[in-house]
Amino acid sequence: MDIHEYQAKERFALAGIPVPPGRIATTADEAEAIANEYGCAVMVKAQVHSGGRGKAGGVKYCNDASEAREHASNILGMDINGLTVEKVLVTPAEDIETEAYVGVLIDRKNQAATFMVSPDGGMDIEEVAASTPDRIRKLSVDPRYGLLPHQALWLANFLYDDPALIKQASKVVAQLYDSFVNSGASMTEINPLITTPDGEVKAIDAKMTIDGNELFRRPDVAGMRDLAAEPASETKAREAGLSYVKLDGNVGCCVNGAGLAMATMDLVKYYGGEPANFLDIGGSSNPDKVVSALEIITSDPNVKAILFNIFGGITRCDDVANGIVEATKRIDIEPPIVIRLTGTNEDLGLQILEEAGFSAYTSMDDVVEKAVELAKG
Amino acid sequence: MSIFIDNDTRLVVQGITGRDGSFHTGQMMEYGTQVVAGVTPGKGGQIFEGPNGETVPIFNAMDEAVAQTGANTSVVYVPPAFASDAILEAVDSGVSLVVAITEGVPVLDMARAHAFAGDRGVRILGPNCPGLLSPGKSKVGILPAQIVTEGPIGVVSRSGTLTYEAVFQLTSVGLGQTTCVGIGGDPLIGTNFIDCLEAFEADPETAAVVMIGEIGGTDEQEAAAYVQANMSKPVVGFIAGQTAPPGRQMGHAGAIISGSAGTAEEKMKAFQDNGIAVAQRPADIVGLIQDTLA
């Protein structure tokens, strides 16, 4: 789950990381009022779950409140990488002496939270990694001991020469690790971590992605979910325990398992069609999940055919068959449905479908080819 | 032969009384897996009844279960909130393999669990995996038994149901398997492609390997380099997610293309560059395997 910059800064502040003050505005009037209160130059920053906000024109320096109003009015409603800006952060502009980068993410290879730091902040860290890899220092944190003080210092030493700055930065590094762990994050970054002419170290931008598996035990973090920042269909899918990503094609896909769902989408493309979505109904399915899945798929007006590809393991074919039958009773489904059903309790599932007048395929290629053909009309 | 599990596997089921745990315990026993114990805290002393009237004792804790039944492998069907504790308990109980089926375990919990298991020399498979099946010998997890048959192919995959698809197609043309392993779709897993490839290379009955990957991370690229450097047996590969857009997570927490890294294209190229035949769709796997064995 992605959270906004202002929310990540709240998490940082809880851990003691120095962040500038800031408030959220949803209208140009509010942005002007907040800027007036600060009484200094401010930044107006789009709050969307996307990188590249600056390049898209979603981050602006404002000399005064009237400029804040003007920029906020331009940024609110702006489209950044397909996402509409619903709110802006208004925050006092800082005097910047240097910009560094500090990030933590889960590293698969070392099986641990891993720091990446660079004295070259303010730009995309992937660019730094590609062009000047020697300007990045990495450290995997042993989960048995956590981040040790000398390790925090080793990272901070790479950023600055001035002992006073190193001391502050090593504190920030340690606090960032605490924030990462206590937020249940899978990624967090400060870019840039600045120094001011007065010799202060501050986080003026913040990013954090939360591990969705942590939310059950972190209600405060779970409460940061911004429903306005994601498509309604994805919200509905999540609440129904499904994993759904809307795409642009016209073959609605309902599959159990993420790998098979991706392979099914690939096969739709292989046979000349375009998938309308990724949808994984997950394991241990019950008929209600299938009903929700069909409601979500049919709410997409582009869908011209619906393709089920179910390979029962923990999912039982009879549950899915019952769900399909139940859904067609409860909701009016216009596009044709083609079904492939095999695996655990296959015979039961096929019998249920047959009694309800559906026929099922057993080959994945056959069912996908048929769905593509039907979608073409 | 087979890898990781065989006729000597003595299994304890953690979470044996839950909906999924009890259902799949029955399925495993039906297949012939020696299920010797179950563990559900608070239900010690009760009995699990198998599909043919067999009785399996239930214990409150793993150490009792292992001490009294000689179990050497555990499978975890415990809900996510308690799964990492169950895994740690299993690692400390004396079993040598812990198969974690549970989906939704916090990643930071698993970082700790993998370090703990590494210190104690215990193999974790998963989490968020379908387990493994050595046809004719033992099934641990949730792979459907009706799709497998005995034979010379090793199968290793990051996905669950996509593994079933590949195995189903192999079996339908009479190509049986030594062991089918689902390593799981989470970012931090206990057993990776290379661990399985190494075991298949060492297994005298495995003649060829099918490796099924997906977008996200670099595990497949590293596995490809391993194949080139260390394997004499042919490997056929497939990657799911050729149509997945960058930046969107495709179900599995590990299946996300970040920046330019982790695309299907990049992984398929790594396979090709390292002598692994690449299937464009699951149905092509069978033909490529037949070619390697011809």
Side-chain angles (χ1 to χ4, degrees), chain B residues 43-115:
Chain B
K43 298 203 173 165
Q46 296 183 17
I47 293 291
F48 176 87
E49 193 172 325
N52 299 309
E54 313 94 321
T55 55
V56 177
I58 301 177
F59 298 88
N60 284 319
M62 278 296 290
D63 62 330
E64 294 169 40
V66 171
Q68 295 194 30
T69 66
N72 54 20
T73 300
S74 120
V75 62
V76 179
Y77 292 101
V78 173
F82 312 103
S84 81
D85 285 344
I87 293 166
L88 295 173
E89 189 193 353
V91 167
D92 247 353
S93 72
V95 300
S96 57
L97 171 65
V98 180
V99 179
I101 306 300
T102 310
E103 178 177 359
V105 186
V107 176
L108 287 169
D109 285 5
M110 286 316 300
R112 195 175 58 149
H114 291 313

Side-chain angles (χ1 to χ4, degrees), chain B:
Chain B
M1 290 277 285
S2 56
I3 69 168
F4 305 146
I5 58 168
D6 55 27
N7 289 323
D8 298 327
T9 296
R10 294 175 62 79
L11 186 69
V12 46
V13 179
Q14 294 177 263
I16 194 167
T17 52
R19 183 186 193 258
D20 293 331
S22 58
F23 177 78
H24 286 284
T25 301
Q27 299 262 306
M28 289 188 288
M29 293 177 77
E30 194 75 65
Y31 192 69
T33 303
Q34 294 183 66
V35 178
V36 297
V39 168
T40 298
K43 298 203 173 165
Q46 296 183 17
I47 293 291
F48 176 87
E49 193 172 325
N52 299 309
E54 313 94 321
T55 55
V56 177
I58 301 177
F59 298 88
N60 284 319
M62 278 296 290
D63 62 330
E64 294 169 40
V66 171
Q68 295 194 30
T69 66
N72 54 20
T73 300
S74 120
V75 62
V76 179
Y77 292 101
V78 173
F82 312 103
S84 81
D85 285 344
I87 293 166
L88 295 173
E89 189 193 353
V91 167
D92 247 353
S93 72
V95 300
S96 57
L97 171 65
V98 180
V99 179
I101 306 300
T102 310
E103 178 177 359
V105 186
V107 176
L108 287 169
D109 285 5
M110 286 316 300
R112 195 175 58 149
H114 291 313
F116 189 77
D119 286 348
R120 286 158 182 77
V122 174
R123 174 179 299 287
I124 294 176
L125 180 67
N128 188 17
C129 80
L132 69 176
L133 204 172
S134 296
K137 300 189 177 82
S138 186
K139 153 176 154 148
V140 176
I142 62 175
L143 280 111
Q146 69 269 29
I147 60 169
V148 304
T149 189
E150 289 174 61
I153 312 298
V155 179
V156 55
S157 168
R158 243 167 95 179
S159 156
T161 48
L162 184 54
T163 318
Y164 311 163
E165 184 67 48
V167 171
F168 172 72
Q169 300 200 6
L170 288 170
T171 295
S172 66
V173 297
L175 281 168
Q177 307 87 37
T178 47
T179 302
C180 307
V181 191
I183 59 176
D186 273 13
L188 301 189
I189 51 174
T191 298
N192 62 23
F193 282 118
I194 293 176
D195 297 324
C196 296
L197 291 168
E198 192 177 9
F200 280 129
E201 176 71 12
D203 172 31
E205 284 179 10
T206 300
V209 179
V210 175
M211 172 162 61
I212 299 168
E214 59 188 35
I215 54 164
T218 54
D219 292 11
E220 290 82 357
Q221 294 89 314
E222 283 144 26
Y226 178 88
V227 167
Q228 177 79 287
N230 299 290
M231 282 192 72
S232 62
K233 298 175 183 176
V235 179
V236 169
F238 176 78
I239 300 289
Q242 297 172 47
T243 49
R248 306 301 305 275
Q249 184 181 319
M250 293 287 143
H252 287 164
I256 182 165
I257 300 167
S258 46
S260 62
T263 62
E265 196 185 356
E266 180 191 328
K267 292 177 185 226
M268 289 163 85
K269 184 171 184 303
F271 279 3
Q272 270 153 358
D273 290 350
N274 287 285
I276 298 170
V278 179
Q280 292 298 318
R281 54 187 179 133
D284 295 334
I285 292 170
V286 163
L288 292 173
I289 279 285
Q290 283 168 332
D291 291 348
T292 68
L293 296 177

Side-chain angles (χ1 to χ4, degrees), chain A residues 119-143:
Chain A
D120 301 336
M123 52 201 252
D124 190 351
I125 194 66
E126 286 178 350
E127 271 171 47
V128 179
S131 56
T132 49
D134 57 318
R135 298 284 287 170
I136 293 178
R137 181 170 273 190
K138 288 188 189 181
L139 177 103
S140 284
V141 181
D142 188 320

